[in-house]
């Protein structure tokens, strides 16, 4: 949240997160009530990480849009039926 505060950004279209195992720590620092982030691409290739992160993101109002090799793309559930929500 500190970086987003500094940039004065309340809305982010796409947020890529790859911090070598500290993804949940970073996610937990984001105020999801204050910042609107449409999509997250999160590296989750550690043991049990994908399930932990998916459960966390679901609690924040996100769903899995696509699972890639070592990353998962999450979409805000509110984005599901908008013109920006197409994921190829």
């Amino acid at each position: 949240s500190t970086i987003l505060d500094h940039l004065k950004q309340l809305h982010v279209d796409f947020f890529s997160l790859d911090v070598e195992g500290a993804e949940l720590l970073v996610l937990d620092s984001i105020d999801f009530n204050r910042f609107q982030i449409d999509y997250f691409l999160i590296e989750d290739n550690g043991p049990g990480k994908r399930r932990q992160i998916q459960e966390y993101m679901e609690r924040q109002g996100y769903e899995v849009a696509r699972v890639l090799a070592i990353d998962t793309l999450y979409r805000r559930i509110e984005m599901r039926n908008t013109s920006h929500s197409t994921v190829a």
Side-chain angles (χ1 to χ4, degrees):
S1 292
T2 304
I3 293 171
L4 296 174
D5 280 327
H6 178 72
L7 297 173
K8 297 182 181 8
Q9 285 293 337
L10 295 179
H11 177 255
V12 175
D13 293 320
F14 180 82
F15 189 115
S16 179
L17 182 58
D18 177 357
V19 288
E20 304 309 321
E23 287 78 13
L24 283 171
L25 289 172
V26 172
L27 290 169
D28 203 37
S29 74
I30 297 171
D31 182 349
F32 285 91
N33 293 315
R34 183 163 179 228
F35 298 103
Q36 179 181 352
I37 302 170
D38 295 336
Y39 292 90
F40 278 92
L41 182 66
I42 304 173
E43 183 183 62
D44 54 11
N45 65 334
K49 285 285 190 186
R50 182 162 285 163
R51 178 38 88 198
Q52 288 178 323
I53 292 172
Q54 182 177 344
E55 289 172 358
Y56 182 89
M57 293 302 287
E58 287 172 353
R59 287 192 303 272
Q60 303 307 321
Y62 289 81
E63 65 185 356
V64 172
R66 179 93 42 185
V67 175
L68 307 167
I70 61 171
D71 300 310
T72 302
L73 180 65
Y74 293 92
R75 160 182 57 212
R76 263 187 328 113
I77 291 173
E78 299 160 0
M79 294 294 296
R80 185 183 306 149
N81 296 318
T82 68
S83 62
H84 295 89
S85 68
T86 304
V87 177

